[in-house]
Amino acid sequence: SGACAAAGGHRTGGSCSVEEREPVEWLGPKACFEIEGEVLEMCLEHEVVTPHEITEIWEHRWGVRYASRIRFAAPEGSPNRWLQPRLDNVLLSPAVTRLESTVGSVCLPLAGILREYGGLPPPQVEVMLKQRAQQIADK
């Protein structure tokens, strides 16, 4: 559970490694998400963020289709099973929030993006994803 809290975001298997893509370590807030048993990190722009705000980034800025259908598991001991999208806050690293989707494999594309870009600030991820899409369109 503290896997993503290690200095530089290192994790076994490289899922949370930052150095491969960016020499400067992100010093801002981070969240760790569990998708299908794998813990992946995401840099956040703010320390207080709701599931709705995060899914807005994923769906509208990063292009993860149907991200708004992803559910965020509530922490152990919580009266609810799931976080309320607009009311509850996502816990910061080293806490890990489990993600699930009621619709197919919505979490799988997100996992790929977080694996590759999770150690970068969301605006930088957005720029890189747009550049990648443009490169694919140019081929």
Side-chain angles (χ1 to χ4, degrees), residues 4-5 25-33 41-49 54 90-94 118-122:
C4 288
E25 181 184 340
W26 174 253
L27 299 176
K30 298 175 186 178
C32 284
F33 300 107
E41 181 179 70
M42 177 183 177
C43 295
L44 303 172
E45 296 173 277
H46 309 286
E47 287 192 18
V48 178
V49 62
I54 290 177
V90 174
L91 297 176
L92 298 179
S93 178
L120 303 174

Side-chain angles (χ1 to χ4, degrees), residues 18 29 40 42 62 64 70 72 81 85 87 111 121 127-128 134 138:
V18 190
L40 300 162
M42 177 183 177
W62 293 7
V64 178
I70 294 173
F72 292 63
R81 184 171 178 197
L87 299 176
V127 168
M128 294 177 85
Q134 187 60 47
D138 290 345

Side-chain angles (χ1 to χ4, degrees), residues 69-139:
R69 297 181 183 183
I70 294 173
R71 298 186 298 184
F72 292 63
E76 254 184 68
S78 176
N80 300 318
R81 184 171 178 197
W82 305 105
L83 294 178
Q84 296 178 50
R86 295 177 186 265
L87 299 176
D88 293 327
N89 294 321
V90 174
L91 297 176
L92 298 179
S93 178
V96 176
T97 302
R98 186 173 45 84
L99 302 179
E100 285 187 14
S101 173
T102 55
V103 180
S105 56
V106 174
C107 291
L108 296 180
L110 172 62
I113 290 171
L114 289 175
R115 247 183 245 115
E116 192 167 345
Y117 302 110
L120 303 174
Q124 189 173 356
V125 174
E126 183 178 2
V127 168
M128 294 177 85
L129 289 172
K130 285 181 181 176
Q131 288 172 345
R132 186 169 79 179
Q134 187 60 47
Q135 289 171 348
I136 291 170
D138 290 345
K139 288 184 179 181

